[in-house]
Amino acid sequence: MGLLGRRNSFLFIFFYIIFSFCVPWPLESCHLVDKTALLDFKRKVTSDPSNLLQTWTLTTDCCKSWEGIACDSNGRVVNVSRPGLASGDDFIIDTSISGSLSPSLANLSFLELLDLSNLKDLTGPIPPEFGKLSRLSYLFLDTNKLSGSIPVTFKYLYQLKKLYLSDNTLSGTIPSSIFESFVSLSELGLSANQYSGPMPSSIGNLLSLTKLDMSQNKFSGSIPESIGGLKNLAYVDLSENQLSGKIPNSIGNLSQVVLMYLNQNQLRGKIPSSISGLSSLVFCRLSENQLSGSIPPSLGNLPKIQRLIFDNNKLSGKLPATLGHLVTLTDMYFSNNLLTGKIPSSFGNLQNLQTLDLSRNKLSGEIPHELVKLVSLQTLDLSFNPFGLSRIPNWFKKLKLFRLILAKTGITGKLPSWLASSSLSTLDLSNNALTGKLPTWIGNMTNLSFLNLSNNAFHSSIPDEFRNLSLLMDLDLHSNRFSGNLGAIFSKNFQDPLGRYNSIDLSYNMFRGPINENIGNEPVMTSIVSLSLSQNPLTGHIPKSLGNLTSLQVIKLAENGLTGGIPTELANAKELRTILLPNNNLGGAIPAELLNLKDLQEFNVSGNRLSGRIPPHKANIPKSAFLGNHGLCGAPLPPFFEFNKRFLEIFFMDCVESLKYLSLNADLGFGFLAFGRGKKCGLLELDDEKEEFEEECNDEKDKEIGHGSH
C-alpha cells in the first residue's frame, strides 16, 4: 500500500473514532435485571395458546416492544399486565396460560402493578420472594389454580392498595401480621378458596378498606368486633363460610356499607338492633344461618334499603309494622322461618316492592286489603302458612302479578274466573282443597310457564283449550282425580324457543288409555328433563320413542297397567338418572344398555314379569329393585341354589281375593304358587315354572355348580 493509501486509512479510523464519541449508537432502555426476571417467568410457562408472551424475546427491548409491559423513564419495569380476560372497544380476549409463578419476578424492584389474573392454569404456590416488591400497589392473581398459603412475607407490602387472590385453591389461615401491615389497602378479594381458621381481629387495622370479599371459604369462629372500625367499608361479603357466633353490635358503625352478605354461615342469636346504623345499606343478605329471635323494629329505619333476604333462619315473633317505612324496598325474602301473627297493614306503603316472599312460616289471619296498593308487586309467595284463606281474595285481581304462589294456605272451592284475564307466568295453588273441573278458560292464561295444581281434588279431563298454553314449561297436576287421555298435554302449542316442557308430573290421577307411541317425537317434548306418569290406570306398551328425549333425566312409570317389554331404545336417552317402572305387567329381559347408562343412580323394575339374567352393571342398585319378578336371576339377587334352598314367603297384594300365603321348600316341583296380576288371581303349577326358570338362569346355575355350591 502506498503512502497516500495509508494516509486515507488513518483518516477514516480517526474520523470513525471521533464520530463514535460524538454520535452514540442506540441503547436498549430496558434494565437487564428486569428483562432477565421476565424471561425467567416466560421459561416457566408450559403453554401459551394465544401467544400472550410472544413478543417477550431476548433480542427485543422489553420497555418498547413487549406487550403488557410498561417502564418508567429510567427503564425500570413498573407494570406487568398479562390477564387472561381483557376487552376493548372492538375485541374480547379470553385465554389461558399454563405454568407457575417465577420467584424471579421479585427482582422487579420498581414494580407497581402485577396482573396475571384469569389465566386459569397458573399452578403452584405464590413465591414468598414477592414480599420484596416494596413498591407494589396492585396485585391481581385471581382466577388461577394457585395453591398453598398467603406468604407471611406479604406483611412487607406496605404500599399495597388492591389485592385479589380469589378463585384459586389457596388454603391455610390468614396471618394476622399481614392485616397489621396493609394500612393502604382499599380492596381485598380472597373469595372462592379453601382458607380456614378464624378471621384475624387485626382486620380492624385496614382503615382504608372499601371492599372486603372473603366469601366461599372455610373461615370459622366469630366475626371480629373490630370489623366495626372499618368506617370506609362499602362492600362486605363473608358468605358461604362456617362463621358462627353472633353478628357483632359494631356492625352498626359501618355507615358507608352498601352491600352486606353474611348468608350461608352458622351465625346464631338475634339480628342486632344496631343494624339501623347502616344508613347507606342497599343490599342485605343474612339468609341460611341459624339466626333467632324477633326481627328488630329498628330495621325500619334503613333509608336506602332495596333488598332484605332473611330466609332459612329461625326468626320468630311478629313482623314489625315499622318495615312498612321502607319505601325504597324492592324485595323482601323472609321465607322458611318461624314468624307468627298477621301481615302488617303497613306493608301497603311499600310502593316499590316487587317481591314479597313470606312462605313457610306460621303467619295467620286475613291478608290485609292494603296490599292492593302495591302497584309494583310482581311476585307474591305466601305459601305454607296457616292463613285459612277459604278463597283467594277477590281484590288480588287488581294486582299486576307475574308469580302467585299460595300453596297450602287453606283455599277451597273452584278456581276463581278472574285468573283467566291475569298475566301470571307462575301459578302455584298446590296442597289446598280446590275442587271441580279444570275450566276451559285455563286456555286463556297464555303467559303461564309454570302451573302447579297438585294435591287438590280436581276431577275432570284436560280440556282441549289447554293446548293454547304455548309458554308452559313446567306442569304439576299430581294427586288429583284428573281422568281421560293425555293428548291435550303432550300435543300443546309452543313458541320456540319457549314453551317446550321441562317437567311434567301427572302421577296419582285417573288418566287412562295408552301412552302415545310418538310421545318422544312431539316437538313440545324435546327438552323435557323429568316425566312422571306413575299411579294411573294406563295401558299399552312403553313407547320406544321415549328414547328420543335426549335431555330426559327422570322417568317414572310406576304402578300403571303397562305391558310388553322394556324397550332397548329407552337407553338412547343417555342423560337418564332415574328409571322407575315397578308394579306393572312388563315382561321379557332387562336391556343391558339401560342398566349401564353412565349417569344411572336409581332403577326399579320390581313387581313385574321380567325374566332372564340381570345384566352386569356398575350402578349400585339394591336387590329390592328386582324382587317380584319370578323369572329374574343374577346379582344382586341371591344365587340360584341359595334362592331355591331357602323358604319363600310370597305375598300378592294386588289380588282381588284375600291375601294368599304360601311357603315352599327347596324342591320347586312341590306344591302350587298363588299369584295375582291386576284383578286376576289363580294357581300355577310349579313344574312348568321351574323348567322356565332353570332354562333362563342356566348360566347362573352352571356357574354355581362349577364352584361346588350345593
Short mmCIF file of all heavy atoms in Angstrom, two decimals, residues 190-246:
data_model
loop_
_atom_site.label_atom_id
_atom_site.label_comp_id
_atom_site.label_asym_id
_atom_site.label_seq_id
_atom_site.Cartn_x
_atom_site.Cartn_y
_atom_site.Cartn_z
N LEU A 190 -60.43 -12.40 48.54
CA LEU A 190 -59.90 -13.73 48.88
C LEU A 190 -60.94 -14.82 48.63
O LEU A 190 -60.76 -15.95 49.08
CB LEU A 190 -59.46 -13.76 50.34
CG LEU A 190 -58.42 -12.73 50.78
CD1 LEU A 190 -58.15 -12.85 52.28
CD2 LEU A 190 -57.12 -12.89 50.00
N SER A 191 -62.00 -14.52 47.92
CA SER A 191 -63.13 -15.44 47.79
C SER A 191 -62.79 -16.69 46.99
O SER A 191 -61.81 -16.73 46.24
CB SER A 191 -64.30 -14.72 47.12
OG SER A 191 -63.96 -14.33 45.80
N ALA A 192 -63.64 -17.72 47.17
CA ALA A 192 -63.55 -18.97 46.39
C ALA A 192 -62.18 -19.63 46.49
O ALA A 192 -61.55 -19.97 45.48
CB ALA A 192 -63.93 -18.70 44.92
N ASN A 193 -61.72 -19.78 47.72
CA ASN A 193 -60.51 -20.55 48.00
C ASN A 193 -60.83 -21.58 49.08
O ASN A 193 -62.00 -21.94 49.26
CB ASN A 193 -59.38 -19.61 48.43
CG ASN A 193 -58.70 -18.94 47.26
OD1 ASN A 193 -57.98 -19.56 46.50
ND2 ASN A 193 -58.94 -17.63 47.10
N GLN A 194 -59.82 -22.02 49.80
CA GLN A 194 -60.03 -23.01 50.86
C GLN A 194 -59.41 -22.54 52.17
O GLN A 194 -58.93 -23.34 52.97
CB GLN A 194 -59.44 -24.36 50.42
CG GLN A 194 -60.08 -24.93 49.17
CD GLN A 194 -59.42 -26.21 48.69
OE1 GLN A 194 -58.75 -26.91 49.46
NE2 GLN A 194 -59.58 -26.52 47.42
N TYR A 195 -59.42 -21.24 52.37
CA TYR A 195 -58.90 -20.70 53.62
C TYR A 195 -59.73 -21.19 54.80
O TYR A 195 -60.94 -21.38 54.69
CB TYR A 195 -58.92 -19.17 53.60
CG TYR A 195 -57.99 -18.55 52.58
CD1 TYR A 195 -58.49 -17.75 51.56
CD2 TYR A 195 -56.62 -18.75 52.65
CE1 TYR A 195 -57.65 -17.18 50.62
CE2 TYR A 195 -55.77 -18.18 51.72
CZ TYR A 195 -56.29 -17.40 50.71
OH TYR A 195 -55.46 -16.83 49.78
N SER A 196 -59.08 -21.35 55.94
CA SER A 196 -59.77 -21.83 57.14
C SER A 196 -59.30 -21.04 58.35
O SER A 196 -58.51 -20.10 58.23
CB SER A 196 -59.50 -23.33 57.33
OG SER A 196 -58.10 -23.57 57.42
N GLY A 197 -59.82 -21.43 59.50
CA GLY A 197 -59.44 -20.74 60.72
C GLY A 197 -60.22 -19.46 60.91
O GLY A 197 -61.10 -19.11 60.11
N PRO A 198 -59.92 -18.73 61.96
CA PRO A 198 -60.69 -17.51 62.27
C PRO A 198 -60.30 -16.33 61.39
O PRO A 198 -59.21 -16.31 60.79
CB PRO A 198 -60.31 -17.24 63.73
CG PRO A 198 -58.92 -17.81 63.86
CD PRO A 198 -58.88 -19.02 62.97
N MET A 199 -61.21 -15.38 61.31
CA MET A 199 -60.88 -14.09 60.71
C MET A 199 -60.03 -13.32 61.72
O MET A 199 -60.48 -13.10 62.84
CB MET A 199 -62.14 -13.31 60.38
CG MET A 199 -62.96 -13.85 59.25
SD MET A 199 -64.48 -12.87 59.01
CE MET A 199 -63.77 -11.24 58.69
N PRO A 200 -58.83 -12.90 61.36
CA PRO A 200 -57.98 -12.20 62.34
C PRO A 200 -58.63 -10.90 62.81
O PRO A 200 -59.20 -10.15 62.01
CB PRO A 200 -56.70 -11.90 61.54
CG PRO A 200 -56.72 -12.85 60.39
CD PRO A 200 -58.16 -13.08 60.06
N SER A 201 -58.55 -10.64 64.10
CA SER A 201 -59.11 -9.40 64.63
C SER A 201 -58.35 -8.19 64.10
O SER A 201 -58.87 -7.07 64.09
CB SER A 201 -59.08 -9.41 66.16
OG SER A 201 -57.74 -9.57 66.62
N SER A 202 -57.13 -8.44 63.60
CA SER A 202 -56.33 -7.35 63.03
C SER A 202 -56.94 -6.79 61.76
O SER A 202 -56.44 -5.79 61.23
CB SER A 202 -54.90 -7.83 62.74
OG SER A 202 -54.91 -8.95 61.86
N ILE A 203 -58.03 -7.41 61.30
CA ILE A 203 -58.72 -6.87 60.13
C ILE A 203 -59.19 -5.45 60.41
O ILE A 203 -59.37 -4.64 59.48
CB ILE A 203 -59.90 -7.78 59.73
CG1 ILE A 203 -60.34 -7.49 58.29
CG2 ILE A 203 -61.07 -7.65 60.69
CD1 ILE A 203 -61.32 -8.49 57.74
N GLY A 204 -59.36 -5.13 61.68
CA GLY A 204 -59.77 -3.79 62.05
C GLY A 204 -58.74 -2.72 61.74
O GLY A 204 -59.03 -1.52 61.83
N ASN A 205 -57.51 -3.14 61.38
CA ASN A 205 -56.46 -2.18 61.03
C ASN A 205 -56.55 -1.69 59.60
O ASN A 205 -55.85 -0.75 59.22
CB ASN A 205 -55.07 -2.81 61.24
CG ASN A 205 -54.80 -3.15 62.69
OD1 ASN A 205 -55.32 -2.50 63.59
ND2 ASN A 205 -54.00 -4.17 62.92
N LEU A 206 -57.39 -2.33 58.80
CA LEU A 206 -57.48 -1.98 57.38
C LEU A 206 -58.39 -0.76 57.21
O LEU A 206 -59.46 -0.83 56.60
CB LEU A 206 -58.00 -3.17 56.57
CG LEU A 206 -57.26 -4.51 56.77
CD1 LEU A 206 -57.88 -5.59 55.88
CD2 LEU A 206 -55.78 -4.35 56.46
N LEU A 207 -57.94 0.35 57.74
CA LEU A 207 -58.81 1.53 57.84
C LEU A 207 -59.15 2.14 56.49
O LEU A 207 -60.10 2.92 56.39
CB LEU A 207 -58.13 2.58 58.74
CG LEU A 207 -57.88 2.13 60.19
CD1 LEU A 207 -57.20 3.23 60.97
CD2 LEU A 207 -59.18 1.71 60.86
N SER A 208 -58.38 1.82 55.46
CA SER A 208 -58.66 2.35 54.12
C SER A 208 -59.56 1.44 53.31
O SER A 208 -59.91 1.77 52.17
CB SER A 208 -57.34 2.58 53.37
OG SER A 208 -56.50 3.49 54.04
N LEU A 209 -59.92 0.31 53.88
CA LEU A 209 -60.64 -0.72 53.12
C LEU A 209 -62.04 -0.26 52.72
O LEU A 209 -62.81 0.21 53.56
CB LEU A 209 -60.74 -2.00 53.94
CG LEU A 209 -60.94 -3.32 53.17
CD1 LEU A 209 -59.74 -3.61 52.28
CD2 LEU A 209 -61.15 -4.48 54.14
N THR A 210 -62.35 -0.42 51.42
CA THR A 210 -63.70 -0.13 50.93
C THR A 210 -64.41 -1.39 50.46
O THR A 210 -65.64 -1.42 50.42
CB THR A 210 -63.65 0.86 49.75
OG1 THR A 210 -62.89 0.29 48.67
CG2 THR A 210 -63.01 2.18 50.17
N LYS A 211 -63.64 -2.43 50.10
CA LYS A 211 -64.25 -3.67 49.61
C LYS A 211 -63.57 -4.85 50.27
O LYS A 211 -62.34 -4.99 50.22
CB LYS A 211 -64.12 -3.76 48.09
CG LYS A 211 -64.78 -4.99 47.50
CD LYS A 211 -64.75 -4.97 45.98
CE LYS A 211 -65.44 -6.20 45.39
NZ LYS A 211 -65.43 -6.19 43.90
N LEU A 212 -64.38 -5.74 50.88
CA LEU A 212 -63.88 -6.94 51.55
C LEU A 212 -64.68 -8.14 51.08
O LEU A 212 -65.89 -8.22 51.32
CB LEU A 212 -64.00 -6.79 53.07
CG LEU A 212 -63.66 -8.02 53.92
CD1 LEU A 212 -62.20 -8.41 53.74
CD2 LEU A 212 -63.98 -7.76 55.39
N ASP A 213 -64.03 -9.07 50.40
CA ASP A 213 -64.69 -10.28 49.90
C ASP A 213 -63.90 -11.50 50.34
O ASP A 213 -62.84 -11.80 49.80
CB ASP A 213 -64.81 -10.24 48.38
CG ASP A 213 -65.68 -11.37 47.83
OD1 ASP A 213 -66.08 -12.25 48.63
OD2 ASP A 213 -65.96 -11.37 46.62
N MET A 214 -64.43 -12.20 51.35
CA MET A 214 -63.81 -13.43 51.85
C MET A 214 -64.78 -14.60 51.72
O MET A 214 -64.68 -15.59 52.43
CB MET A 214 -63.38 -13.23 53.30
CG MET A 214 -62.40 -12.08 53.49
SD MET A 214 -61.98 -11.70 55.21
CE MET A 214 -61.00 -13.13 55.65
N SER A 215 -65.73 -14.49 50.81
CA SER A 215 -66.78 -15.50 50.66
C SER A 215 -66.25 -16.81 50.08
O SER A 215 -65.15 -16.87 49.52
CB SER A 215 -67.88 -14.96 49.74
OG SER A 215 -67.36 -14.68 48.44
N GLN A 216 -67.05 -17.87 50.26
CA GLN A 216 -66.77 -19.19 49.69
C GLN A 216 -65.41 -19.74 50.14
O GLN A 216 -64.56 -20.13 49.34
CB GLN A 216 -66.83 -19.13 48.16
CG GLN A 216 -68.18 -18.73 47.61
CD GLN A 216 -68.20 -18.70 46.11
OE1 GLN A 216 -68.02 -19.72 45.44
NE2 GLN A 216 -68.44 -17.53 45.55
N ASN A 217 -65.21 -19.73 51.44
CA ASN A 217 -64.05 -20.35 52.05
C ASN A 217 -64.51 -21.23 53.21
O ASN A 217 -65.67 -21.64 53.24
CB ASN A 217 -63.06 -19.28 52.51
CG ASN A 217 -62.22 -18.73 51.37
OD1 ASN A 217 -61.30 -19.38 50.89
ND2 ASN A 217 -62.53 -17.50 50.95
N LYS A 218 -63.61 -21.49 54.14
CA LYS A 218 -63.95 -22.30 55.31
C LYS A 218 -63.61 -21.56 56.60
O LYS A 218 -63.24 -22.18 57.60
CB LYS A 218 -63.22 -23.65 55.25
CG LYS A 218 -63.58 -24.49 54.03
CD LYS A 218 -62.77 -25.79 53.99
CE LYS A 218 -63.09 -26.62 52.75
NZ LYS A 218 -62.26 -27.86 52.69
N PHE A 219 -63.72 -20.26 56.56
CA PHE A 219 -63.45 -19.47 57.77
C PHE A 219 -64.43 -19.85 58.87
O PHE A 219 -65.62 -20.07 58.61
CB PHE A 219 -63.56 -17.98 57.47
CG PHE A 219 -62.44 -17.44 56.61
CD1 PHE A 219 -62.69 -16.98 55.33
CD2 PHE A 219 -61.14 -17.42 57.09
CE1 PHE A 219 -61.66 -16.50 54.53
CE2 PHE A 219 -60.10 -16.94 56.29
CZ PHE A 219 -60.37 -16.48 55.01
N SER A 220 -63.94 -19.91 60.09
CA SER A 220 -64.77 -20.31 61.22
C SER A 220 -64.63 -19.29 62.34
O SER A 220 -63.89 -18.31 62.23
CB SER A 220 -64.38 -21.71 61.70
OG SER A 220 -63.00 -21.75 62.04
N GLY A 221 -65.33 -19.56 63.44
CA GLY A 221 -65.28 -18.63 64.56
C GLY A 221 -66.18 -17.44 64.33
O GLY A 221 -66.99 -17.40 63.40
N SER A 222 -66.06 -16.46 65.18
CA SER A 222 -66.94 -15.30 65.15
C SER A 222 -66.42 -14.22 64.21
O SER A 222 -65.23 -14.17 63.89
CB SER A 222 -67.08 -14.71 66.55
OG SER A 222 -67.62 -15.67 67.46
N ILE A 223 -67.33 -13.36 63.78
CA ILE A 223 -66.94 -12.17 63.05
C ILE A 223 -66.32 -11.21 64.06
O ILE A 223 -66.96 -10.87 65.06
CB ILE A 223 -68.15 -11.52 62.36
CG1 ILE A 223 -68.78 -12.49 61.37
CG2 ILE A 223 -67.74 -10.22 61.67
CD1 ILE A 223 -70.09 -12.00 60.76
N PRO A 224 -65.09 -10.75 63.85
CA PRO A 224 -64.43 -9.91 64.87
C PRO A 224 -65.20 -8.61 65.12
O PRO A 224 -65.69 -7.98 64.18
CB PRO A 224 -63.05 -9.62 64.25
CG PRO A 224 -62.86 -10.65 63.20
CD PRO A 224 -64.22 -11.01 62.69
N GLU A 225 -65.28 -8.24 66.38
CA GLU A 225 -65.92 -6.97 66.74
C GLU A 225 -65.19 -5.80 66.08
O GLU A 225 -65.80 -4.76 65.78
CB GLU A 225 -65.90 -6.81 68.26
CG GLU A 225 -66.76 -5.69 68.81
CD GLU A 225 -68.24 -6.05 68.86
OE1 GLU A 225 -68.56 -7.25 69.02
OE2 GLU A 225 -69.06 -5.12 68.74
N SER A 226 -63.91 -6.00 65.80
CA SER A 226 -63.09 -4.92 65.24
C SER A 226 -63.51 -4.54 63.83
O SER A 226 -63.10 -3.48 63.33
CB SER A 226 -61.61 -5.34 65.22
OG SER A 226 -61.42 -6.52 64.44
N ILE A 227 -64.35 -5.36 63.19
CA ILE A 227 -64.80 -5.04 61.83
C ILE A 227 -65.58 -3.73 61.82
O ILE A 227 -65.64 -3.03 60.79
CB ILE A 227 -65.64 -6.20 61.24
CG1 ILE A 227 -65.70 -6.08 59.71
CG2 ILE A 227 -67.03 -6.23 61.84
CD1 ILE A 227 -66.33 -7.29 59.03
N GLY A 228 -66.15 -3.38 62.95
CA GLY A 228 -66.91 -2.14 63.05
C GLY A 228 -66.06 -0.89 62.90
O GLY A 228 -66.59 0.22 62.74
N GLY A 229 -64.74 -1.06 62.95
CA GLY A 229 -63.86 0.09 62.80
C GLY A 229 -63.56 0.47 61.36
O GLY A 229 -62.90 1.48 61.10
N LEU A 230 -64.05 -0.33 60.42
CA LEU A 230 -63.75 -0.09 59.00
C LEU A 230 -64.76 0.92 58.46
O LEU A 230 -65.67 0.57 57.69
CB LEU A 230 -63.78 -1.40 58.23
CG LEU A 230 -62.87 -2.52 58.78
CD1 LEU A 230 -62.97 -3.77 57.92
CD2 LEU A 230 -61.42 -2.03 58.85
N LYS A 231 -64.59 2.16 58.81
CA LYS A 231 -65.59 3.20 58.54
C LYS A 231 -65.75 3.50 57.05
O LYS A 231 -66.74 4.10 56.65
CB LYS A 231 -65.21 4.48 59.28
CG LYS A 231 -65.13 4.32 60.80
CD LYS A 231 -66.48 3.97 61.40
CE LYS A 231 -66.40 3.76 62.91
NZ LYS A 231 -66.00 4.96 63.65
N ASN A 232 -64.77 3.11 56.22
CA ASN A 232 -64.86 3.38 54.78
C ASN A 232 -65.42 2.20 53.99
O ASN A 232 -65.57 2.29 52.77
CB ASN A 232 -63.47 3.74 54.23
CG ASN A 232 -62.94 5.04 54.79
OD1 ASN A 232 -63.62 6.06 54.73
ND2 ASN A 232 -61.74 5.00 55.35
N LEU A 233 -65.71 1.11 54.69
CA LEU A 233 -66.15 -0.10 54.01
C LEU A 233 -67.50 0.11 53.32
O LEU A 233 -68.46 0.59 53.93
CB LEU A 233 -66.26 -1.24 55.02
CG LEU A 233 -66.27 -2.67 54.47
CD1 LEU A 233 -64.98 -2.97 53.72
CD2 LEU A 233 -66.44 -3.67 55.61
N ALA A 234 -67.55 -0.25 52.02
CA ALA A 234 -68.79 -0.11 51.24
C ALA A 234 -69.34 -1.46 50.79
O ALA A 234 -70.53 -1.58 50.50
CB ALA A 234 -68.55 0.78 50.02
N TYR A 235 -68.48 -2.47 50.74
CA TYR A 235 -68.88 -3.79 50.23
C TYR A 235 -68.26 -4.84 51.15
O TYR A 235 -67.04 -4.88 51.31
CB TYR A 235 -68.37 -3.95 48.80
CG TYR A 235 -68.61 -5.28 48.13
CD1 TYR A 235 -69.55 -5.41 47.11
CD2 TYR A 235 -67.89 -6.42 48.49
CE1 TYR A 235 -69.75 -6.63 46.46
CE2 TYR A 235 -68.10 -7.64 47.87
CZ TYR A 235 -69.02 -7.74 46.86
OH TYR A 235 -69.24 -8.95 46.23
N VAL A 236 -69.08 -5.68 51.76
CA VAL A 236 -68.57 -6.76 52.60
C VAL A 236 -69.32 -8.05 52.28
O VAL A 236 -70.55 -8.09 52.35
CB VAL A 236 -68.66 -6.41 54.11
CG1 VAL A 236 -70.08 -6.06 54.52
CG2 VAL A 236 -68.13 -7.56 54.96
N ASP A 237 -68.57 -9.07 51.89
CA ASP A 237 -69.16 -10.38 51.56
C ASP A 237 -68.38 -11.46 52.31
O ASP A 237 -67.23 -11.77 51.98
CB ASP A 237 -69.10 -10.63 50.06
CG ASP A 237 -69.89 -11.87 49.64
OD1 ASP A 237 -70.32 -12.63 50.53
OD2 ASP A 237 -70.08 -12.07 48.42
N LEU A 238 -69.02 -12.01 53.35
CA LEU A 238 -68.44 -13.10 54.14
C LEU A 238 -69.28 -14.37 53.99
O LEU A 238 -69.20 -15.28 54.81
CB LEU A 238 -68.38 -12.70 55.62
CG LEU A 238 -67.65 -11.39 55.95
CD1 LEU A 238 -67.70 -11.11 57.45
CD2 LEU A 238 -66.21 -11.43 55.46
N SER A 239 -70.06 -14.45 52.94
CA SER A 239 -71.00 -15.56 52.75
C SER A 239 -70.29 -16.88 52.44
O SER A 239 -69.13 -16.91 52.06
CB SER A 239 -71.96 -15.23 51.60
OG SER A 239 -71.27 -15.10 50.38
N GLU A 240 -71.03 -17.96 52.66
CA GLU A 240 -70.58 -19.32 52.33
C GLU A 240 -69.27 -19.68 53.02
O GLU A 240 -68.30 -20.10 52.40
CB GLU A 240 -70.47 -19.50 50.81
CG GLU A 240 -71.81 -19.33 50.09
CD GLU A 240 -71.72 -19.59 48.61
OE1 GLU A 240 -71.26 -20.68 48.22
OE2 GLU A 240 -72.10 -18.69 47.83
N ASN A 241 -69.27 -19.48 54.33
CA ASN A 241 -68.17 -19.92 55.18
C ASN A 241 -68.75 -20.76 56.32
O ASN A 241 -69.85 -21.30 56.19
CB ASN A 241 -67.41 -18.71 55.73
CG ASN A 241 -66.43 -18.14 54.72
OD1 ASN A 241 -65.40 -18.75 54.45
ND2 ASN A 241 -66.75 -16.97 54.17
N GLN A 242 -68.03 -20.88 57.40
CA GLN A 242 -68.50 -21.62 58.57
C GLN A 242 -68.47 -20.72 59.80
O GLN A 242 -68.22 -21.17 60.91
CB GLN A 242 -67.63 -22.87 58.77
CG GLN A 242 -67.69 -23.83 57.60
CD GLN A 242 -66.66 -24.95 57.69
OE1 GLN A 242 -66.06 -25.20 58.74
NE2 GLN A 242 -66.42 -25.63 56.58
N LEU A 243 -68.72 -19.45 59.58
CA LEU A 243 -68.70 -18.48 60.67
C LEU A 243 -69.84 -18.75 61.65
O LEU A 243 -70.94 -19.09 61.25
CB LEU A 243 -68.81 -17.06 60.11
CG LEU A 243 -67.65 -16.63 59.20
CD1 LEU A 243 -67.96 -15.31 58.52
CD2 LEU A 243 -66.35 -16.55 59.99
N SER A 244 -69.57 -18.58 62.91
CA SER A 244 -70.57 -18.86 63.95
C SER A 244 -70.63 -17.68 64.91
O SER A 244 -70.04 -16.62 64.67
CB SER A 244 -70.22 -20.15 64.69
OG SER A 244 -68.91 -20.07 65.24
N GLY A 245 -71.34 -17.87 66.01
CA GLY A 245 -71.48 -16.79 66.96
C GLY A 245 -72.48 -15.75 66.50
O GLY A 245 -73.24 -15.96 65.56
N LYS A 246 -72.48 -14.62 67.16
CA LYS A 246 -73.45 -13.57 66.88
C LYS A 246 -72.90 -12.56 65.88
O LYS A 246 -71.69 -12.41 65.72
CB LYS A 246 -73.82 -12.84 68.17
CG LYS A 246 -74.53 -13.72 69.21
CD LYS A 246 -74.88 -12.91 70.45
CE LYS A 246 -75.63 -13.76 71.46
NZ LYS A 246 -76.00 -12.97 72.67
#
